[in-house]
Amino acid sequence: MDLATARAAGYAFVHGEAGFAQVTTIDADGFPVSRTMTAFLEPDWSVSLVQRAGHRRLAQWRRDPRTLVSWVGPPAPGASNERPHVFDIGQLPPRMVAVRGTASTMPAEWTVAVYRREVARQRASGFTRAPLRTDDEVAAELAGVRIEPVRVRLEGFGEGAESHLWTVRRAAT
């Protein structure tokens, strides 16, 4: 499968099927820490996050902004694994979209705008159980983070175990 087709399939997977993402940061001891949360993949492959302002990951990003956001789901319809590279475990490879990038804390206006956009999208789909916050509550209680992509990896959107990897932006040195 060519890269453009795989990119379109990966983007559609995140928006239509994947649901929660796994977000990985680096703790004070230099170890990766992962947690599951909502994350919004943007058309430029950046990732928008809005979370409660007290999360430990915000301090982790301030200390080390390098991060990984990934969405993993069941194998694609029609997937195959006819020639495993090393081991045959009798299963099809899952689909995965992984964005490696650099986190930046965003201003309150940006956080409110992303929150409003995503709450409207969720409520239009019938998902109404999360509390509805005012703009002032969003600014006081939530924090926005944008992940600028450096590399993106797609797995499970091609033939067999084919993967696609591309550089979006050069990492700062």
Side-chain angles (χ1 to χ4, degrees), residues 8 12 16 29 32 42 53 59 66 74 78 82 85 95 102-103 108 114 128-129 136 143 156 164 167:
D29 295 322
E42 304 292 350
R66 294 173 298 172
E82 301 303 318
H85 294 302
R95 286 176 286 175
T102 305
V114 171
T128 60
R129 292 185 296 184
D136 288 340
H164 295 84
T167 299

PDB file of all heavy atoms in Angstrom, residues 8 12 16 29 32 42 53 59 66 74 78 82 85 95 102-103 108 114 128-129 136 143 156 164 167:
ATOM      1  N   ALA A   8      -4.181   8.029   4.941  1.00  0.00           N
ATOM      2  CA  ALA A   8      -5.633   8.261   4.986  1.00  0.00           C
ATOM      3  C   ALA A   8      -6.321   7.198   5.838  1.00  0.00           C
ATOM      4  O   ALA A   8      -7.210   7.505   6.639  1.00  0.00           O
ATOM      5  CB  ALA A   8      -6.206   8.281   3.567  1.00  0.00           C
ATOM      6  N   ALA A  12      -8.237   7.923   9.411  1.00  0.00           N
ATOM      7  CA  ALA A  12      -9.642   7.506   9.558  1.00  0.00           C
ATOM      8  C   ALA A  12      -9.805   6.542  10.730  1.00  0.00           C
ATOM      9  O   ALA A  12     -10.804   6.607  11.463  1.00  0.00           O
ATOM     10  CB  ALA A  12     -10.130   6.874   8.259  1.00  0.00           C
ATOM     11  N   GLY A  16     -12.333   7.243  13.655  1.00  0.00           N
ATOM     12  CA  GLY A  16     -13.559   6.462  13.583  1.00  0.00           C
ATOM     13  C   GLY A  16     -13.629   5.235  14.454  1.00  0.00           C
ATOM     14  O   GLY A  16     -14.719   4.757  14.765  1.00  0.00           O
ATOM     15  N   ASP A  29      12.950  10.047  36.850  1.00  0.00           N
ATOM     16  CA  ASP A  29      14.055   9.096  36.848  1.00  0.00           C
ATOM     17  C   ASP A  29      14.463   8.675  35.436  1.00  0.00           C
ATOM     18  O   ASP A  29      15.323   7.815  35.277  1.00  0.00           O
ATOM     19  CB  ASP A  29      13.679   7.865  37.669  1.00  0.00           C
ATOM     20  CG  ASP A  29      13.484   8.196  39.137  1.00  0.00           C
ATOM     21  OD1 ASP A  29      14.257   9.033  39.658  1.00  0.00           O
ATOM     22  OD2 ASP A  29      12.564   7.637  39.751  1.00  0.00           O
ATOM     23  N   PRO A  32      10.023   5.754  30.895  1.00  0.00           N
ATOM     24  CA  PRO A  32       8.748   6.045  30.243  1.00  0.00           C
ATOM     25  C   PRO A  32       7.581   5.698  31.154  1.00  0.00           C
ATOM     26  O   PRO A  32       7.623   4.710  31.883  1.00  0.00           O
ATOM     27  CB  PRO A  32       8.744   5.129  29.009  1.00  0.00           C
ATOM     28  CG  PRO A  32      10.033   4.409  28.997  1.00  0.00           C
ATOM     29  CD  PRO A  32      10.762   4.680  30.261  1.00  0.00           C
ATOM     30  N   GLU A  42      -4.829  15.807  14.787  1.00  0.00           N
ATOM     31  CA  GLU A  42      -5.165  16.923  13.895  1.00  0.00           C
ATOM     32  C   GLU A  42      -4.751  16.591  12.463  1.00  0.00           C
ATOM     33  O   GLU A  42      -3.935  15.684  12.244  1.00  0.00           O
ATOM     34  CB  GLU A  42      -4.456  18.195  14.377  1.00  0.00           C
ATOM     35  CG  GLU A  42      -4.756  18.583  15.817  1.00  0.00           C
ATOM     36  CD  GLU A  42      -6.191  19.030  16.067  1.00  0.00           C
ATOM     37  OE1 GLU A  42      -6.960  19.241  15.100  1.00  0.00           O
ATOM     38  OE2 GLU A  42      -6.561  19.176  17.249  1.00  0.00           O
ATOM     39  N   ALA A  53      -5.928  20.055  35.097  1.00  0.00           N
ATOM     40  CA  ALA A  53      -4.686  20.809  35.285  1.00  0.00           C
ATOM     41  C   ALA A  53      -3.756  20.215  36.335  1.00  0.00           C
ATOM     42  O   ALA A  53      -2.588  20.579  36.391  1.00  0.00           O
ATOM     43  CB  ALA A  53      -5.004  22.260  35.635  1.00  0.00           C
ATOM     44  N   ALA A  59       3.943  18.221  34.603  1.00  0.00           N
ATOM     45  CA  ALA A  59       5.291  18.476  35.133  1.00  0.00           C
ATOM     46  C   ALA A  59       6.328  17.653  34.373  1.00  0.00           C
ATOM     47  O   ALA A  59       7.449  18.127  34.125  1.00  0.00           O
ATOM     48  CB  ALA A  59       5.350  18.157  36.625  1.00  0.00           C
ATOM     49  N   ARG A  66       9.633  15.512  25.306  1.00  0.00           N
ATOM     50  CA  ARG A  66       9.536  14.412  24.339  1.00  0.00           C
ATOM     51  C   ARG A  66       8.445  13.438  24.773  1.00  0.00           C
ATOM     52  O   ARG A  66       8.368  13.069  25.945  1.00  0.00           O
ATOM     53  CB  ARG A  66      10.879  13.703  24.202  1.00  0.00           C
ATOM     54  CG  ARG A  66      11.954  14.595  23.577  1.00  0.00           C
ATOM     55  CD  ARG A  66      13.288  13.944  23.596  1.00  0.00           C
ATOM     56  NE  ARG A  66      13.677  13.709  24.991  1.00  0.00           N
ATOM     57  CZ  ARG A  66      14.734  13.018  25.356  1.00  0.00           C
ATOM     58  NH1 ARG A  66      15.505  12.477  24.455  1.00  0.00           N
ATOM     59  NH2 ARG A  66      15.024  12.856  26.625  1.00  0.00           N
ATOM     60  N   PRO A  74      -7.897  -3.324  16.788  1.00  0.00           N
ATOM     61  CA  PRO A  74      -7.897  -4.651  16.172  1.00  0.00           C
ATOM     62  C   PRO A  74      -7.341  -4.634  14.749  1.00  0.00           C
ATOM     63  O   PRO A  74      -7.268  -3.581  14.120  1.00  0.00           O
ATOM     64  CB  PRO A  74      -9.370  -5.052  16.194  1.00  0.00           C
ATOM     65  CG  PRO A  74     -10.118  -3.773  16.285  1.00  0.00           C
ATOM     66  CD  PRO A  74      -9.238  -2.815  17.038  1.00  0.00           C
ATOM     67  N   GLY A  78      -9.565  -7.968   6.527  1.00  0.00           N
ATOM     68  CA  GLY A  78      -8.775  -8.541   5.446  1.00  0.00           C
ATOM     69  C   GLY A  78      -7.290  -8.631   5.726  1.00  0.00           C
ATOM     70  O   GLY A  78      -6.502  -8.968   4.840  1.00  0.00           O
ATOM     71  N   GLU A  82       0.984 -13.806   6.575  1.00  0.00           N
ATOM     72  CA  GLU A  82       1.412 -15.058   5.930  1.00  0.00           C
ATOM     73  C   GLU A  82       2.892 -15.354   6.110  1.00  0.00           C
ATOM     74  O   GLU A  82       3.295 -16.493   6.035  1.00  0.00           O
ATOM     75  CB  GLU A  82       1.064 -15.013   4.435  1.00  0.00           C
ATOM     76  CG  GLU A  82      -0.416 -14.831   4.151  1.00  0.00           C
ATOM     77  CD  GLU A  82      -1.276 -15.919   4.781  1.00  0.00           C
ATOM     78  OE1 GLU A  82      -0.886 -17.096   4.738  1.00  0.00           O
ATOM     79  OE2 GLU A  82      -2.332 -15.565   5.347  1.00  0.00           O
ATOM     80  N   HIS A  85       8.009 -12.320  10.394  1.00  0.00           N
ATOM     81  CA  HIS A  85       9.442 -12.043  10.267  1.00  0.00           C
ATOM     82  C   HIS A  85      10.298 -12.873  11.211  1.00  0.00           C
ATOM     83  O   HIS A  85      11.415 -13.250  10.881  1.00  0.00           O
ATOM     84  CB  HIS A  85       9.725 -10.556  10.489  1.00  0.00           C
ATOM     85  CG  HIS A  85       9.138  -9.678   9.434  1.00  0.00           C
ATOM     86  ND1 HIS A  85       9.433  -9.805   8.108  1.00  0.00           N
ATOM     87  CD2 HIS A  85       8.249  -8.668   9.524  1.00  0.00           C
ATOM     88  CE1 HIS A  85       8.773  -8.913   7.413  1.00  0.00           C
ATOM     89  NE2 HIS A  85       8.034  -8.204   8.257  1.00  0.00           N
ATOM     90  N   ARG A  95      -3.668  -2.818  14.371  1.00  0.00           N
ATOM     91  CA  ARG A  95      -3.382  -1.517  13.751  1.00  0.00           C
ATOM     92  C   ARG A  95      -2.863  -0.581  14.832  1.00  0.00           C
ATOM     93  O   ARG A  95      -3.315  -0.622  15.974  1.00  0.00           O
ATOM     94  CB  ARG A  95      -4.646  -0.929  13.125  1.00  0.00           C
ATOM     95  CG  ARG A  95      -5.038  -1.645  11.843  1.00  0.00           C
ATOM     96  CD  ARG A  95      -6.321  -1.116  11.297  1.00  0.00           C
ATOM     97  NE  ARG A  95      -7.415  -1.614  12.145  1.00  0.00           N
ATOM     98  CZ  ARG A  95      -8.670  -1.272  12.010  1.00  0.00           C
ATOM     99  NH1 ARG A  95      -9.035  -0.418  11.072  1.00  0.00           N
ATOM    100  NH2 ARG A  95      -9.602  -1.775  12.805  1.00  0.00           N
ATOM    101  N   THR A 102       6.998  16.587  20.370  1.00  0.00           N
ATOM    102  CA  THR A 102       7.394  17.481  21.452  1.00  0.00           C
ATOM    103  C   THR A 102       6.164  18.201  21.984  1.00  0.00           C
ATOM    104  O   THR A 102       5.409  18.796  21.218  1.00  0.00           O
ATOM    105  CB  THR A 102       8.424  18.503  20.925  1.00  0.00           C
ATOM    106  OG1 THR A 102       9.508  17.786  20.328  1.00  0.00           O
ATOM    107  CG2 THR A 102       8.947  19.369  22.045  1.00  0.00           C
ATOM    108  N   ALA A 103       5.987  18.147  23.304  1.00  0.00           N
ATOM    109  CA  ALA A 103       4.816  18.735  23.953  1.00  0.00           C
ATOM    110  C   ALA A 103       5.054  20.190  24.316  1.00  0.00           C
ATOM    111  O   ALA A 103       6.144  20.559  24.771  1.00  0.00           O
ATOM    112  CB  ALA A 103       4.482  17.947  25.214  1.00  0.00           C
ATOM    113  N   ALA A 108      -4.760  29.452  27.616  1.00  0.00           N
ATOM    114  CA  ALA A 108      -6.150  29.154  27.976  1.00  0.00           C
ATOM    115  C   ALA A 108      -7.090  29.285  26.780  1.00  0.00           C
ATOM    116  O   ALA A 108      -8.008  28.474  26.619  1.00  0.00           O
ATOM    117  CB  ALA A 108      -6.595  30.065  29.114  1.00  0.00           C
ATOM    118  N   VAL A 114     -10.208  24.140  21.811  1.00  0.00           N
ATOM    119  CA  VAL A 114     -10.149  22.693  21.569  1.00  0.00           C
ATOM    120  C   VAL A 114     -11.228  21.988  22.386  1.00  0.00           C
ATOM    121  O   VAL A 114     -11.928  21.106  21.878  1.00  0.00           O
ATOM    122  CB  VAL A 114      -8.744  22.123  21.878  1.00  0.00           C
ATOM    123  CG1 VAL A 114      -8.739  20.590  21.843  1.00  0.00           C
ATOM    124  CG2 VAL A 114      -7.731  22.680  20.881  1.00  0.00           C
ATOM    125  N   THR A 128     -22.845  12.297  26.181  1.00  0.00           N
ATOM    126  CA  THR A 128     -23.197  13.467  26.982  1.00  0.00           C
ATOM    127  C   THR A 128     -22.917  13.297  28.470  1.00  0.00           C
ATOM    128  O   THR A 128     -23.342  14.137  29.268  1.00  0.00           O
ATOM    129  CB  THR A 128     -24.691  13.793  26.796  1.00  0.00           C
ATOM    130  OG1 THR A 128     -25.460  12.652  27.222  1.00  0.00           O
ATOM    131  CG2 THR A 128     -25.013  14.113  25.346  1.00  0.00           C
ATOM    132  N   ARG A 129     -22.223  12.262  28.894  1.00  0.00           N
ATOM    133  CA  ARG A 129     -22.042  12.014  30.328  1.00  0.00           C
ATOM    134  C   ARG A 129     -20.956  12.857  30.980  1.00  0.00           C
ATOM    135  O   ARG A 129     -20.972  13.059  32.180  1.00  0.00           O
ATOM    136  CB  ARG A 129     -21.780  10.535  30.582  1.00  0.00           C
ATOM    137  CG  ARG A 129     -23.022   9.698  30.278  1.00  0.00           C
ATOM    138  CD  ARG A 129     -22.823   8.272  30.631  1.00  0.00           C
ATOM    139  NE  ARG A 129     -21.761   7.720  29.794  1.00  0.00           N
ATOM    140  CZ  ARG A 129     -21.377   6.469  29.794  1.00  0.00           C
ATOM    141  NH1 ARG A 129     -21.939   5.612  30.606  1.00  0.00           N
ATOM    142  NH2 ARG A 129     -20.420   6.051  28.997  1.00  0.00           N
ATOM    143  N   ASP A 136     -14.820  29.799  31.610  1.00  0.00           N
ATOM    144  CA  ASP A 136     -14.048  30.131  32.815  1.00  0.00           C
ATOM    145  C   ASP A 136     -13.617  28.866  33.552  1.00  0.00           C
ATOM    146  O   ASP A 136     -12.492  28.796  34.067  1.00  0.00           O
ATOM    147  CB  ASP A 136     -14.854  31.038  33.745  1.00  0.00           C
ATOM    148  CG  ASP A 136     -15.002  32.454  33.191  1.00  0.00           C
ATOM    149  OD1 ASP A 136     -14.197  32.844  32.313  1.00  0.00           O
ATOM    150  OD2 ASP A 136     -15.925  33.169  33.636  1.00  0.00           O
ATOM    151  N   ALA A 143      -5.961  21.963  31.355  1.00  0.00           N
ATOM    152  CA  ALA A 143      -4.724  22.405  30.706  1.00  0.00           C
ATOM    153  C   ALA A 143      -4.664  21.807  29.310  1.00  0.00           C
ATOM    154  O   ALA A 143      -4.968  20.635  29.115  1.00  0.00           O
ATOM    155  CB  ALA A 143      -3.513  21.957  31.521  1.00  0.00           C
ATOM    156  N   GLY A 156      -0.146  -2.008  10.351  1.00  0.00           N
ATOM    157  CA  GLY A 156      -1.412  -2.681  10.118  1.00  0.00           C
ATOM    158  C   GLY A 156      -2.277  -2.029   9.059  1.00  0.00           C
ATOM    159  O   GLY A 156      -3.456  -2.351   8.941  1.00  0.00           O
ATOM    160  N   HIS A 164       4.594   1.896   7.845  1.00  0.00           N
ATOM    161  CA  HIS A 164       4.935   3.155   7.185  1.00  0.00           C
ATOM    162  C   HIS A 164       5.464   4.104   8.247  1.00  0.00           C
ATOM    163  O   HIS A 164       4.881   4.224   9.328  1.00  0.00           O
ATOM    164  CB  HIS A 164       3.706   3.766   6.508  1.00  0.00           C
ATOM    165  CG  HIS A 164       3.175   2.929   5.390  1.00  0.00           C
ATOM    166  ND1 HIS A 164       2.319   1.871   5.601  1.00  0.00           N
ATOM    167  CD2 HIS A 164       3.398   2.981   4.066  1.00  0.00           C
ATOM    168  CE1 HIS A 164       2.027   1.313   4.433  1.00  0.00           C
ATOM    169  NE2 HIS A 164       2.671   1.964   3.490  1.00  0.00           N
ATOM    170  N   THR A 167       9.060  11.243   8.603  1.00  0.00           N
ATOM    171  CA  THR A 167       9.443  12.393   9.424  1.00  0.00           C
ATOM    172  C   THR A 167       8.526  13.553   9.065  1.00  0.00           C
ATOM    173  O   THR A 167       8.376  13.875   7.888  1.00  0.00           O
ATOM    174  CB  THR A 167      10.912  12.782   9.161  1.00  0.00           C
ATOM    175  OG1 THR A 167      11.733  11.664   9.518  1.00  0.00           O
ATOM    176  CG2 THR A 167      11.323  14.006   9.966  1.00  0.00           C
TER     177      THR A 167
END
